Amino acid sequence: MPRIALVTLAVCVLAVAAAVVSFVQGSWLGIVWVLLAGLTSNMAFLAIRRDRAKSGTGTGTGTGSATG
């Protein structure tokens, strides 16, 4: 797993924790944390996907053409 994916996953977990704390305290600032968590989870997903495509260790589903 690439290092950028690990960093973005860590930021995602911290953003989710910050959102929970914000909402428990009654602050609407938690919406910003939720948006940040969504952004970082997408960044991690794309970094992992790019790494798998580069190394050729994907599952092979969803990207090829089906013959039938």
Side-chain angles (χ1 to χ4, degrees), residues 60-68:
T61 60
T63 57
S65 63
T67 58

Side-chain angles (χ1 to χ4, degrees), residues 12-57:
C12 181
V13 169
L14 291 173
V16 169
V20 169
V21 169
S22 293
F23 284 130
V24 166
Q25 291 180 350
S27 173
W28 286 97
L29 187 63
I31 293 173
V32 175
W33 293 115
V34 169
L35 292 174
L36 182 64
L39 176 69
T40 56
S41 68
N42 286 338
M43 288 173 62
F45 172 75
L46 290 175
I48 292 169
R49 191 170 130 190
R50 185 182 332 127
D51 184 57
R52 285 186 183 169
K54 185 169 53 173
S55 65
T57 59

